[in-house]
Amino acid sequence: MKKALFILPALFASTVSADISQIFIAQDGTQFPVTSIAGSPTYQEDIIAAETIFAEYQSTYEYTDFTVRTIDSISGNYFDIFTSENGSSLTCFSSSGQPLGTDIASCYAVTPAILSSSLLQAAAKDKENFTALNAATTVNLQLNRSTTQISQSLQSMRSLRSHPKPSKGNGAGDDAYEMMGNFGLYANSGGTFGKVDSTTNSSGYDVYTRNFNSAVDYKINDTIITGMLFGYTSSTVDVDNNGGNFNADTFRFSPFVSLSPTENTYVDIAAGYASHDNRSQRNCLLCSSSADASFRTDEFNILTGLGYTHHFDAWSLRGYGQASTIYMDIGGYTETGDTATGLLTMPNQYVLSITSTFGTELSYAWSLPFGVLVPRISAEWVREYANDQRLITAQLQNGGITSIQTAAAQQDWGNAAAGLQMVLPNGVSAMLNFQSLIMSGATNYTIEGGVRMEF
């Protein structure tokens, strides 16, 4: 059995002396028994196998409510932890089914052997869910990296600003696509959806974001363009099996400078700040309720990038590289709930992420009667040099401490993308992009569209 770190010393002082077995009960009453706990050297494998089958059954039938029942085969008494979308509750029963208590103290007084086992397992599951929610505070360092959003916005503005070299076709004259003025307004919006797989120490979870970015830029001369990027991201994380959820509203701004030393080269420099308003709600089995928390994260980032584009007829091949650094100061917080049992007080966390990115993009400018259509595909490789494992010591509100081990960030991952750009007369351009994350243990997909106007 996995070692639980949410252990209350007095509560778990007794040892399991009875013959105890366990059953998972699905929403429709279907039972998934686990073999005896007492003296079974293979119990850990048994419970993992039962949990896997039970989770597949839940997923197949889309059940959200379930009960974990632990039975003392000698006395016949049993103990239930019922979990639903609205939280969890615990009840202990006599062998005849008569309720003996609905809180930890009263249940422990009458069924210590059962509770010693069940609450250890509940504590282990609480820890896995909490570890997942804690990981959610930094998941976007890899899945939806803020400097990646900045880089993509700068590249979109550059593409929408550039004068394409279209293929010979039915398009209008080139003069229709010349720049209209030194000022530009840009906006894009989109969303992402992804999944992070479970690990030995953490539950898996789904990730969703909604993004909106805008920018104003000014062409100082043929070599220098400067401006300001603004962004808003709404993030939602749902932990598997109703383990909890995490939500964040993020507001960011980033001044930038884009240099063009030659016609086919560019250098981007951007620095920014972001404020994250975080809210988490954990389905706490030991609390028999939800454990809620609100806290803030301050983020500072810097990005430098350069690239070169080679044109051959209507084709363009771009190679690029960039380096980015993100520093996050995650505020400490104290969870709230119906009881102090199982609630945590977390200290401040400090996270540093440093990455390099190398990529290539191929595009083709296709002249049409109403404008120039530019389809493009790209692929890039990202490497992480920091963001190592962290050991966090948290305080149990009813006494004691527990340790939370974060997972190390993936060292390497990739992004593959495809998009369309439409260049229209009179300084109007639009784009649509799709991107897929290539990473072990996670998936993520991004869809976004944008428009730029010059004046």
Side-chain angles (χ1 to χ4, degrees):
M1 179 166 36
K2 298 176 184 177
K3 183 179 179 181
L5 295 181
F6 289 140
I7 295 180
L8 312 181
L11 187 60
F12 297 108
S14 64
T15 58
V16 180
S17 58
D19 186 13
I20 297 173
S21 61
Q22 189 175 68
I23 291 175
F24 296 90
I25 304 176
Q27 189 172 337
D28 63 354
T30 302
Q31 299 184 2
F32 299 82
V34 183
T35 57
S36 174
I37 295 173
S40 173
T42 62
Y43 173 70
Q44 182 173 355
E45 288 78 10
D46 292 335
I47 194 169
I48 290 174
E51 286 179 334
T52 300
I53 297 171
F54 175 60
E56 291 174 352
Y57 188 84
Q58 277 190 299
S59 175
T60 300
Y61 292 96
E62 298 184 349
Y63 292 143
T64 57
D65 299 349
F66 64 95
T67 300
V68 179
R69 174 171 295 176
T70 305
I71 308 165
D72 184 339
S73 62
I74 296 177
S75 68
N77 294 347
Y78 58 94
F79 171 77
D80 283 355
I81 297 179
F82 172 72
T83 300
S84 71
E85 292 182 341
N86 298 321
S88 299
S89 62
L90 60 90
T91 309
C92 51
F93 300 87
S94 67
S95 58
S96 62
Q98 178 182 359
L100 299 175
T102 57
D103 60 82
I104 291 177
S106 59
C107 286
Y108 183 70
V110 294
T111 56
I114 296 175
L115 283 168
S116 294
S117 172
S118 292
L119 292 182
L120 280 169
Q121 295 167 41
K125 180 55 66 176
D126 275 353
K127 181 175 182 293
E128 292 172 6
N129 291 339
F130 181 83
T131 302
L133 289 172
N134 185 66
T137 62
T138 59
V139 64
N140 285 336
L141 287 176
Q142 295 192 307
L143 266 64
N144 303 294
R145 191 173 176 86
S146 58
T147 50
T148 299
Q149 294 183 33
I150 294 172
S151 175
Q152 290 173 342
S153 294
L154 292 177
Q155 173 56 28
S156 295
M157 285 190 289
R158 184 180 305 108
S159 297
L160 296 175
R161 186 190 305 116
S162 65
H163 179 198
K165 296 178 173 62
S167 61
K168 302 300 183 182
N170 299 321
D174 287 350
D175 290 344
Y177 305 105
E178 293 291 352
M179 289 188 66
M180 300 296 295
N182 289 348
F183 281 98
L185 292 177
Y186 168 78
N188 82 332
S189 182
T192 73
F193 56 97
K195 168 73 176 177
V196 176
D197 296 339
S198 61
T199 64
T200 303
N201 299 318
S202 175
S203 300
Y205 50 92
D206 298 317
V207 185
Y208 309 91
T209 69
R210 279 91 30 208
N211 302 312
F212 176 79
N213 298 287
S214 63
V216 57
D217 63 83
Y218 177 72
K219 180 181 178 181
I220 297 176
N221 52 45
D222 290 339
T223 303
I224 303 174
I225 295 177
T226 186
M228 180 74 74
L229 274 164
F230 303 91
Y232 167 74
T233 299
S234 172
S235 303
T236 299
V237 169
D238 291 323
V239 180
D240 292 351
N241 297 319
N242 300 305
N245 60 76
F246 171 86
N247 294 275
D249 293 308
T250 302
F251 298 89
R252 61 173 51 90
F253 67 90
S254 177
F256 66 87
V257 175
S258 289
L259 308 176
S260 299
T262 68
E263 181 182 357
N264 296 329
T265 60
Y266 70 85
V267 177
D268 287 335
I269 303 173
Y273 167 79
S275 176
H276 304 251
D277 179 16
N278 306 309
R279 303 167 303 281
S280 70
Q281 185 177 66
R282 179 167 59 92
N283 188 1
C284 179
L285 299 176
L286 291 181
C287 313
S288 299
S289 66
S290 65
D292 303 328
S294 297
F295 55 102
R296 177 177 169 176
T297 297
D298 292 312
E299 174 192 317
F300 304 88
N301 57 70
I302 187 168
L303 164 75
T304 58
L306 54 87
Y308 174 81
T309 303
H310 176 67
H311 301 284
F312 43 102
D313 295 327
W315 293 92
S316 296
L317 179 64
R318 180 174 68 98
Y320 60 93
Q322 64 187 42
S324 72
T325 299
I326 299 177
Y327 175 78
M328 302 181 75
D329 180 355
I330 305 171
Y333 60 88
T334 297
E335 291 183 321
T336 60
D338 293 341
T339 174
T341 302
L343 297 181
L344 290 173
T345 296
M346 285 288 290
N348 277 47
Q349 301 178 60
Y350 305 97
V351 181
L352 176 66
S353 174
I354 303 173
T355 62
S356 63
T357 302
F358 297 95
T360 185
E361 178 187 80
L362 179 66
S363 63
Y364 180 80
W366 184 16
S367 182
L368 296 172
F370 51 84
V372 179
L373 184 66
V374 186
R376 63 181 78 247
I377 56 173
S378 65
E380 60 185 27
W381 164 54
V382 186
R383 164 155 285 200
E384 173 69 70
Y385 299 95
N387 198 8
D388 297 325
Q389 275 189 325
R390 292 172 290 117
L391 184 63
I392 305 165
T393 300
Q395 185 77 33
L396 285 161
Q397 292 183 33
N398 56 345
I401 60 174
T402 185
S403 297
I404 306 297
Q405 180 75 62
T406 68
Q410 291 283 347
Q411 187 177 36
D412 297 280
W413 70 93
N415 295 304
L420 286 173
Q421 176 185 340
M422 175 59 68
V423 182
L424 302 172
N426 303 317
V428 178
S429 301
M431 49 77 71
L432 180 66
N433 285 333
F434 172 81
Q435 179 174 284
S436 175
L437 176 78
I438 304 171
M439 176 185 285
S440 174
T443 58
N444 197 57
Y445 304 97
T446 303
I447 301 174
E448 63 175 356
V451 64
R452 183 178 185 276
M453 299 181 63
E454 295 171 355
F455 58 95

